[in-house]
Amino acid sequence: MSVPLDKQKILLQDGKSKQSVPALDPRWMEEVQFVGYQAPPIDLSDKGQYEEWLERLKFIEDDLHWLLQLPHGRFWCQAIFDESLHRCIDSYLRYAPRSYETVAKLPSSAKKSHDEVHRLVFLTCMRMSTYKESKEHHITPSVFGEILYENFLYDIPKLLDLCVLYGQGNQPLLARMIENIFTQQPKYNDDLAGVVGTLSEVFDNIMAKCGIHPDPGSQTPQKLGDQGNIVSLVTMATGEFNDIILYLSDIGMTLTSFLNVYPPACMAFHGGEFLVKLPAFYDAVVPEVFATLKQKEQDISTKKALKQKLTQAKTNLLEVFKTVVYHCCIQPLLEKRDIASDYIEDYLHIMSGILNDRRFLADYEGIHSFQGDIDILLQAGGDIDETRIQYIKEAVNLAFATFGKRKAPKGAMNRGGRKSPDGSPSPLEGGASGVGTLASCRVSDLVPADAYQVEDYDSSAVGACATLVTGVELESLITSVKDLLPELGEGFIELCLEELGYDMERVINSMLEDRLPASLRDLDRQLPRKQRAATPPSLVHERKNIYDFDEFDVFHRDDVDTRKIRRGKADKSESVVIGDQSELRYIKDAISKDYGTVVDVVEDDGRGHLGSPRVAGVNNEGYARDMYEDEYDDTYDTNVVGADDADSADELTTIRPFTVPRVLGGGQSRDSPRPSYEESEESEEEDPGKKRDLFLQDPAELREMAAERAHTKANRNKQGQGGGQRSEGKSQGSGQGGKTYDVKGGPKGQGQSQEVLRNRRWKTQHKGDHRKALADKKRRV
């Protein structure tokens, strides 16, 4: 194997003196000034600024192309000792648009140039993270780790930016690159632990910026100079407030991307107080920012974009917590590592520490199921404290019932569906508790899935299926709350009921604990009630139909028998299902009334299946034929009956005689005298030319038809032999007479004669003639 680059020496001769210089030395560096990157201009109408940005992109593209074409030794000299290259890479990682941001406003040519720079920066970082390019070009791994760390080629902020920029499209390569860096230089693990501690300080700074004390229950005295400079989110400047939302979104997306690309980093976030700081920060800041965003006066497009960023930050922060807990506590249990009780205890300790952050628990339960984690813990075995698990479960259920936003269950409310983590009912967002709902309306089919994660979702968007509380029901709720809290105004109580889903218990509980939502805290609690316009009734209740309240009306009934509902026509082989024994009695009485005889009906076999009714003392075949059907039944019309039977010519031409219904006088009644045998014989003699429909055909006709078929077959065989039809048997010389056609030929690899090739081609073209002749024969017969 060749000598590593860090041990190579280059002999430098200066006049008469010779000097041995290391291969990694500043004197081998080229004097190239790399240009720093700048973000795309916001205003593209400024031609000067736009052209300057394009020229800067062109310089960066040319310089990176030149750098990547350098040989191994020269590349590393340039990468280690060129400070302008470090600034260029660092500026791009800091200011380049993130993967969740688009550069859609740029022209196609500018976007193409920007994408090329994006690709070249990634290739440069990939080459700088590889210590072995080939067997001849490599660096000692330990020296490679020192080069990266001591020359600041990589640090934790750069790795975080790389994950955000390239994590979605190049995750496998990026994961190998970061794993190689952490493997060759373990000092980066200590730096990562320091960054986790810095994140806790960042959370405290954001809370202080928003005017929220990190720990409202603490008795720590505040500085005297800070009391006059308290700034809340409501009084904060609009630009500063928007920066906080963008900062939260950037933090959430960066942490999520880094942990998804490099899961071993979860151990660093698991240590310390990060898993306690994150829920507390979320519970204190995110709801307040959501409530303040509603009150801020901004244009609709800006507010919509900020709302999307805040929702994205909310989801990402929850995902960070879930990822760390999964990789540090749940995944070891699934892989059955070491002692399961240690990981179970660790999980219960984490969840016990965040029970006070109820809004965080409610949102976490709305996206990630706590019950799923409990099931994994129980399946892992080991010593589990059931009382502790039950306590945590009750706390999560209470938080979800108070602040949670759940999705509507699949199907009717009384037929199952997820109501709350423990199965107890909790109100739909925008709905009412204890108010009748339409079982047939599925809110999940009318509202997008992400609407349940946004706190200002309007329930009126579901239209006719929205559950509204008006009139006497609303008056009753307001009166019940006012009886317990008489100092509150009726208007304030109505607003609280609307905000909390018309749940009287949640309103009273929030008032007593002083945990009202941010949108209700600044309102006047003596607010009187306003007269509102009458709410139009639901379209479903206004609808009038002839099928109202029948057995299949899903709008007014919840006990519809689905066994009687089928899609399409029924199969002929299906048995008749009768659910009530009174229907059997009805069939017996109807048949006995018509015929005056005892009816023997096959009773129910226990599954609701009935046999065919048999009438005692009556020819059942004649009964089924002469029974008049008032309404035509098309249930089995789609079944093909007799289509594949080999019908004879007589059956196809025979027409069934028309039978006059019995009620019209066509059949014999019960009181009419039966015809005697003598009268039937005379009627037969009077019409001797009438063709009798016999079950057996005349044997003379059968023999004549068989002779005709044999004659036709003999003529066809003679024509086939005389016409020179080539068959495989004749081609192989089977001795049937006539000329033989050789299609076998000689051995493979020696070539074939033209005659053999011609015979094979003829055989291929006419191989289906015999089958066609047999098919014609079958159709004629």
Side-chain angles (χ1 to χ4, degrees):
M1 194 173 181
S2 61
V3 180
L5 181 63
D6 56 286
K7 296 181 180 180
Q8 292 182 8
K9 302 292 184 178
I10 299 177
L11 185 62
L12 182 62
Q13 185 174 2
D14 186 9
K16 296 183 179 180
S17 62
K18 296 182 180 180
Q19 185 179 3
S20 180
V21 181
L24 294 176
D25 193 85
R27 68 185 69 187
W28 308 121
M29 182 186 68
E30 297 287 343
E31 294 295 335
V32 178
Q33 186 66 31
F34 287 85
V35 182
Y37 175 83
Q38 291 183 357
I42 300 177
D43 187 10
L44 298 180
S45 60
D46 189 354
K47 298 297 182 182
Q49 186 180 6
Y50 176 66
E51 291 179 359
E52 179 185 356
W53 181 76
L54 286 180
E55 187 177 4
R56 183 180 293 271
L57 278 184
K58 184 63 176 175
F59 287 153
I60 297 176
E61 181 180 350
D62 295 340
D63 293 341
L64 293 181
H65 268 298
W66 170 82
L67 177 66
L68 292 173
Q69 292 175 359
L70 291 177
H72 184 250
R74 294 297 180 90
F75 171 82
W76 277 104
C77 291
Q78 204 75 29
I80 294 173
F81 304 111
D82 193 346
E83 296 294 336
S84 63
L85 174 61
H86 298 172
R87 290 192 295 269
C88 176
I89 299 297
D90 184 65
S91 63
Y92 184 83
L93 296 179
R94 291 177 60 187
Y95 302 116
R98 294 331 193 201
S99 58
Y100 51 88
E101 300 175 350
T102 56
V103 198
K105 297 182 180 179
L106 294 178
S108 59
S109 58
K111 192 173 185 305
K112 182 178 180 181
S113 179
H114 190 277
D115 293 342
E116 181 64 18
V117 172
H118 185 77
R119 186 183 70 88
L120 293 175
V121 170
F122 180 72
L123 293 178
T124 303
C125 294
M126 281 290 297
R127 191 173 183 184
M128 290 169 58
S129 64
T130 305
Y131 68 90
K132 182 179 180 181
E133 294 184 3
S134 63
K135 293 183 179 180
E136 293 77 17
H137 304 96
H138 59 92
I139 303 176
T140 305
S142 58
V143 178
F144 171 77
E146 293 296 329
I147 290 175
L148 295 182
Y149 193 79
E150 297 298 333
N151 294 279
F152 295 96
L153 298 186
Y154 286 106
D155 51 25
I156 300 301
K158 285 184 179 179
L159 296 179
L160 294 175
D161 291 335
L162 281 171
C163 292
V164 176
L165 288 172
Y166 303 100
Q168 290 187 354
N170 301 277
Q171 183 171 348
L173 290 176
L174 194 60
R176 292 177 56 189
M177 182 182 80
I178 296 179
E179 182 180 3
N180 186 40
I181 292 174
F182 276 90
T183 302
Q184 305 305 329
Q185 183 51 271
K187 293 181 181 180
Y188 282 112
N189 293 315
D190 300 334
D191 293 349
L192 181 60
V195 169
V196 174
T198 305
L199 283 175
S200 300
E201 298 179 2
V202 170
F203 292 156
D204 293 339
N205 294 336
I206 295 177
M207 294 173 65
K209 192 77 172 178
C210 298
I212 302 173
H213 197 273
D215 188 4
S218 65
Q219 303 297 328
T220 303
Q222 299 181 0
K223 295 182 180 180
L224 296 178
D226 295 342
Q227 295 180 358
N229 299 327
I230 296 177
V231 179
S232 64
L233 289 172
V234 179
T235 60
M236 184 180 296
T238 302
E240 191 174 359
F241 176 76
N242 295 347
D243 290 340
I244 290 179
I245 294 179
L246 296 178
Y247 191 44
L248 289 176
S249 176
D250 187 65
I251 290 177
M253 179 59 70
T254 301
L255 294 179
T256 303
S257 301
F258 180 68
L259 294 179
N260 289 336
V261 172
Y262 187 61
C266 294
M267 297 303 300
F269 288 85
H270 178 256
E273 299 181 353
F274 178 79
L275 293 180
V276 178
K277 285 282 188 180
L278 178 60
F281 169 78
Y282 181 98
D283 195 79
V285 174
V286 174
E288 295 292 336
V289 176
F290 261 114
T292 307
L293 181 60
K294 300 177 186 178
Q295 304 175 6
K296 287 289 183 180
E297 296 182 358
Q298 302 186 59
D299 56 283
I300 298 177
S301 59
T302 303
K303 181 174 285 190
K304 184 178 180 180
L306 292 175
K307 183 178 177 181
Q308 183 179 2
K309 289 286 185 182
L310 190 56
T311 304
Q312 186 182 52
K314 172 183 174 181
T315 305
N316 289 333
L317 291 177
L318 295 173
E319 183 67 24
V320 169
F321 184 86
K322 173 65 177 179
T323 304
V324 175
V325 172
Y326 176 80
H327 285 284
C328 297
C329 302
I330 303 300
Q331 188 175 7
L333 294 178
L334 297 176
E335 298 177 355
K336 298 182 179 180
R337 301 184 199 164
D338 303 334
I339 303 175
S341 58
D342 295 342
Y343 297 106
I344 296 175
E345 177 63 27
D346 192 9
Y347 179 84
L348 297 179
H349 176 73
I350 293 173
M351 297 304 296
S352 300
I354 63 173
L355 294 182
N356 292 331
D357 307 319
R358 301 173 65 186
R359 290 184 179 272
F360 177 84
L361 285 178
D363 293 341
Y364 181 83
E365 176 63 25
I367 299 178
H368 311 287
S369 175
F370 173 75
Q371 185 62 38
D373 297 343
I374 295 299
D375 294 340
I376 296 176
L377 297 182
L378 296 177
Q379 294 175 8
D383 298 332
I384 300 178
D385 189 354
E386 297 289 345
T387 305
R388 191 175 180 184
I389 290 180
Q390 186 64 26
Y391 176 74
I392 297 174
K393 190 174 181 180
E394 291 177 356
V396 173
N397 294 340
L398 179 61
F400 185 81
T402 307
F403 303 103
K405 303 294 188 301
R406 67 180 177 86
K407 295 183 179 180
K410 304 289 186 179
M413 294 290 290
N414 59 353
R415 291 185 179 271
R418 183 175 183 271
K419 295 182 173 64
S420 66
D422 60 345
S424 59
S426 64
L428 276 171
E429 186 173 357
S433 176
V435 182
T437 58
L438 299 175
S440 62
C441 292
R442 291 171 52 183
V443 182
S444 60
D445 295 338
L446 303 174
V447 183
D450 56 351
Y452 296 97
Q453 301 176 5
V454 182
E455 302 227 355
D456 60 343
Y457 164 65
D458 186 8
S459 64
S460 61
V462 299
C465 290
T467 304
L468 301 178
V469 179
T470 57
V472 180
E473 296 176 356
L474 182 59
E475 293 290 344
S476 176
L477 293 175
I478 294 176
T479 303
S480 300
V481 177
K482 195 170 180 61
D483 290 342
L484 295 176
L485 303 171
E487 69 277 4
L488 301 180
E490 292 185 358
F492 180 74
I493 295 175
E494 184 178 1
L495 293 177
C496 292
L497 289 171
E498 291 180 0
E499 182 71 20
L500 299 179
Y502 295 96
D503 190 346
M504 183 183 64
E505 296 180 358
R506 290 179 60 189
V507 173
I508 297 174
N509 187 43
S510 300
M511 293 296 302
L512 295 177
E513 295 182 357
D514 196 16
R515 295 295 297 271
L516 286 175
S519 59
L520 300 174
R521 294 177 186 174
D522 299 333
L523 297 179
D524 184 12
R525 301 201 174 191
Q526 304 293 333
L527 184 67
R529 189 178 181 188
K530 296 181 181 179
Q531 295 295 333
R532 296 190 177 184
T535 304
S538 174
L539 297 177
V540 176
H541 295 289
E542 285 186 348
R543 179 185 72 92
K544 301 298 181 183
N545 196 285
I546 61 174
Y547 300 108
D548 285 345
F549 301 101
D550 68 353
E551 60 176 341
F552 300 113
D553 186 10
V554 295
F555 293 100
H556 298 89
R557 298 184 58 174
D558 294 335
D559 55 346
V560 177
D561 188 3
T562 58
R563 297 180 304 169
K564 299 182 180 180
I565 303 175
R566 68 167 59 89
R567 177 178 296 177
K569 304 277 186 183
D571 190 8
K572 188 174 181 180
S573 60
E574 292 183 4
S575 301
V576 180
V577 179
I578 300 178
D580 191 359
Q581 293 294 330
S582 61
E583 300 183 13
L584 294 175
R585 307 278 77 79
Y586 174 77
I587 295 174
K588 292 180 179 180
D589 296 342
I591 300 176
S592 300
K593 182 179 179 181
D594 290 341
Y595 289 91
T597 55
V598 180
V599 181
D600 181 17
V601 182
V602 180
E603 294 293 342
D604 191 355
D605 61 355
R607 297 176 297 174
H609 296 160
L610 302 178
S612 302
R614 308 293 297 178
V615 183
V618 180
N619 185 4
N620 287 276
E621 295 180 0
Y623 158 71
R625 181 176 65 252
D626 296 334
M627 189 67 181
Y628 175 69
E629 178 66 20
D630 185 59
E631 293 186 0
Y632 177 70
D633 186 9
D634 62 345
T635 304
Y636 303 103
D637 278 1
T638 57
N639 295 325
V640 181
V641 179
D644 298 330
D645 296 343
D647 298 330
S648 64
D650 295 336
E651 293 175 350
L652 296 176
T653 57
T654 301
I655 301 177
R656 182 180 179 183
F658 176 73
T659 302
V660 180
R662 179 178 57 80
V663 296
L664 300 179
Q668 295 290 339
S669 63
R670 296 191 300 268
D671 299 333
S672 60
R674 296 174 179 266
S676 61
Y677 291 102
E678 292 80 4
E679 293 178 355
S680 61
E681 292 178 359
E682 292 176 359
S683 61
E684 291 179 1
E685 294 176 357
E686 291 176 358
D687 190 10
K690 183 177 179 181
K691 185 176 179 180
R692 299 176 62 187
D693 186 12
L694 300 178
F695 179 75
L696 296 177
Q697 199 170 357
D698 190 359
E701 294 181 2
L702 293 177
R703 288 193 295 271
E704 183 179 353
M705 293 173 60
E708 183 180 353
R709 287 196 298 268
H711 181 68
T712 303
K713 182 176 180 181
N715 291 338
R716 186 165 51 250
N717 291 337
K718 291 180 180 181
Q719 293 175 2
Q721 296 176 4
Q725 182 179 1
R726 305 184 183 188
S727 61
E728 186 176 357
K730 294 179 181 180
S731 64
Q732 296 176 357
S734 59
Q736 294 182 2
K739 183 179 179 180
T740 59
Y741 299 91
D742 185 15
V743 295
K744 185 175 181 181
K748 292 184 178 179
Q750 298 181 7
Q752 305 294 342
S753 63
Q754 293 296 329
E755 183 180 359
V756 173
L757 297 177
R758 183 166 57 254
N759 293 337
R760 290 180 179 178
R761 186 164 52 252
W762 195 97
K763 177 185 175 183
T764 302
Q765 295 175 355
H766 298 81
K767 61 171 60 178
D769 293 348
H770 185 61
R771 291 193 296 269
K772 294 178 181 179
L774 292 179
D776 294 339
K777 172 188 173 181
K778 185 176 181 181
R779 283 194 293 269
R780 285 194 299 269
V781 174

